[in-house]
Amino acid sequence: MWIEPEHYKAVGLCLAAARRQAKLTQVEVAERLGRTQTFVSEIERGERRVDVLELLVIAGALGTHPRELFAEIARSVRWPRARISRR
């Protein structure tokens, strides 16, 4: 199993929901990030990957704690359980 496009879409949906909960527009978030509205839109549509450091900065721009944002993403993405072999 590797990361599928649906996983990025789930991340984007969580970020969009957090933005709406913060009562911010994509333009406002983009301004806080020093990026364009298109950048924010691409993330929210799952067209652009977000690494963990970007997630920290985005959480700050949204005024939310990164742990809460990450927890919501983790709940939203369906991951198969990894098999751990014990020897």
Side-chain angles (χ1 to χ4, degrees), residues 32-78:
R32 291 178 179 197
L33 295 173
R35 303 301 299 250
T36 65
Q37 178 272 328
T38 302
F39 174 84
V40 175
S41 176
E42 288 171 351
I43 291 171
E44 289 186 1
R45 291 190 316 248
E47 295 175 0
R48 186 184 183 291
R49 295 178 179 197
V50 178
D51 70 30
V52 69
L53 296 175
E54 290 173 319
L55 191 61
L56 295 173
V57 174
I58 292 168
L62 297 174
T64 188
H65 196 286
R67 188 175 21 227
E68 293 173 13
L69 190 54
F70 187 78
E72 185 57 37
I73 292 168
R75 282 190 292 272
S76 298
V77 177
R78 297 283 182 190

Side-chain angles (χ1 to χ4, degrees), residues 17-33:
R19 175 183 54 78
R20 286 190 298 274
Q21 186 174 352
K23 297 182 178 16
L24 295 169
T25 66
Q26 287 183 347
V27 171
E28 291 169 325
V29 172
E31 287 172 354
R32 291 178 179 197
L33 295 173

